[in-house]
Amino acid sequence: MDGSGISGTNQMTSKGILFSAALVAMAGGAQAETRIGMITTLSGGGAGLGIDVRDGFQLAIDQAGRDDITLIIEDDERAPDVAVQLADRMIQAEDVDIMTGIIWSNLAMAVVPSVTAQGVFYLSPNAGPSQLAGRGCHENYFNVAWQNDNLHEAAGAYANSAGYTNSFILAPNYPAGQDALAGYKRFFEGELAGELYTQLGQTDYAAEIAQIRASGADSVFFFLPGGMGISFLRQYGDSGLDIPVVGPAFSFDQAILQAVGADALGVVNTSQWSPDLDNAANTAFVAAFQDAYGRIPSLYASQGFDTANLILSALDVATPSEDPDAFRDALRAADFVSTRGDFEFGPNQHPIQDIYVREVVQDGEIFTNRVIGVALEDRGDAYADQCPM
């Protein structure tokens, strides 16, 4: 993946930057300081995803105007070893109480088990690998986005309703890609014309498109977030193939749409969030984000915003340093107003939520998504019954 499509004003990628919601509260009855460590991707491939999570999270903190939170942000460079080193330093030297921010499932698998084993809370604003939803669940791990399979399950359900019976499916070969194809196949009732795992970060899809052309498929499902999706959609458009494409929102976020342009028009994708969701919290969020950053928020930005607001709601009840059990219970209660509307946690502390069907449209010079239906209502995930909590 690459950072193409990201405007220069949003490329804040320097490491070790310390953001504070405000100075630590002075002594004398003030609430205890809570230190939050954010490790996310701010440079190189996939930087746009991490930037959006960071900006959405920071917006919520800024709106709250609290003086008891310190937010420490680091760039993981999309490298598991870097993420592990940063997490260890944040826990041992920075004394963080909560961690968040990771985009990629392979990084989450490298970091989250160690973080939670050390008594630190981890709230995921994006990555939701099946391993951490099932047997690897933990009382200190919460996912505020989705379990990896969810949006792909919804794509499979939509494909059935659209009458597709022979899908060609492809995704990168890493945990989220494996969950993606598993999710699609869980709900899709037709046959598979082909199934491929591509390389993570791949940019040339000529061979894959040739296989799709020869497969006899009546539909294509793909999960290729960031720069991978840009490359695939451009090459698919240039190929002249007219086989309908279905995908999850990750392959149709705002940066990808602006980079791909008209080749994405009319493509159907699935998401738990959309900028046009009709609720007061979402309308206010979209307007505030555009005012603060000069661009339409992506689902990653909405997930960062919701994650911060969940933390804030729990901090109104207790702090993790003084009463971790009460703080955990407050997180489970999810007593905050989500941009996506109704939100609750399942028994494995992953969301139960609606997954929408969206279509890529053009609004003036901007390419964006509009909701056209609901694919799955109140969907939890397929791994909750494996969680020993």
Side-chain angles (χ1 to χ4, degrees), residues 41 89 155 170:
T41 305
R89 193 179 81 206
L170 66 158

Side-chain angles (χ1 to χ4, degrees), residues 1 39-41 46-51 53-54 76 78 101-108 122 124-128 146 148 174 176 300 303:
M1 284 174 230
I39 298 172
T40 196
T41 305
L49 286 60
I51 287 169
V53 161
R54 179 201 67 192
D76 60 34
R78 212 182 78 182
I102 290 176
I103 299 297
W104 311 99
S105 289
N106 55 333
L107 273 67
Y122 191 92
S124 176
N126 196 66
W146 22 256
N148 278 352
Y174 78 120
Y300 305 104
Q303 291 161 188

Side-chain angles (χ1 to χ4, degrees), residues 214-230:
S215 70
D218 66 359
S219 52
V220 176
F221 168 77
F222 76 98
F223 163 60
L224 295 167
M228 292 182 290
I230 293 171

Side-chain angles (χ1 to χ4, degrees), residues 71-104:
L71 177 60
I72 305 164
I73 302 177
E74 294 275 9
D75 178 11
D76 60 34
E77 304 172 21
R78 212 182 78 182
D81 58 334
V82 173
V84 168
Q85 292 170 10
L86 290 172
D88 287 345
R89 193 179 81 206
M90 283 188 174
I91 293 171
Q92 296 163 14
E94 301 285 357
D95 198 26
V96 298
D97 307 290
I98 303 166
M99 294 193 67
T100 188
I102 290 176
I103 299 297
W104 311 99

Side-chain angles (χ1 to χ4, degrees), residues 254 257-258 265 290 295-296 360-370:
Q254 288 303 129
L257 293 182
Q258 306 325 305
L265 281 174
Q290 287 183 289
R295 66 187 191 276
I296 298 173
V360 178
V361 298
Q362 187 169 2
D363 183 3
E365 296 182 355
I366 300 296
F367 295 91
T368 189
N369 288 284
R370 292 288 181 266

Side-chain angles (χ1 to χ4, degrees), residues 146-287:
W146 22 256
Q147 192 279 316
N148 278 352
D149 300 26
N150 285 162
L151 305 196
H152 316 291
E153 293 172 337
Y158 167 78
N160 297 331
S161 68
Y164 301 144
T165 61
N166 194 27
S167 287
F168 193 105
I169 63 176
L170 66 158
N173 193 13
Y174 78 120
Q178 295 153 16
D179 288 345
L181 298 194
Y184 187 82
K185 291 187 289 185
R186 183 174 296 119
F187 276 74
F188 181 57
E189 297 169 354
E191 301 294 328
L192 294 182
E195 179 176 358
L196 285 178
Y197 283 108
T198 61
Q199 293 183 0
L200 187 62
Q202 183 173 325
T203 58
D204 183 356
Y205 294 94
E208 288 79 5
I209 291 171
Q211 290 184 58
I212 293 170
R213 187 187 300 276
S215 70
D218 66 359
S219 52
V220 176
F221 168 77
F222 76 98
F223 163 60
L224 295 167
M228 292 182 290
I230 293 171
S231 297
F232 178 80
L233 283 170
R234 283 176 172 169
Q235 292 165 36
Y236 194 85
D238 291 342
S239 74
L241 279 176
D242 59 359
I243 303 171
V245 172
V246 179
F250 322 118
S251 300
F252 299 92
D253 67 41
Q254 288 303 129
I256 288 178
L257 293 182
Q258 306 325 305
V260 173
D263 284 336
L265 281 174
V267 173
V268 169
N269 61 95
T270 49
S271 180
Q272 88 289 5
W273 177 86
S274 188
D276 64 321
L277 278 184
D278 188 15
N279 67 71
N282 192 53
T283 300
F285 161 67
V286 171

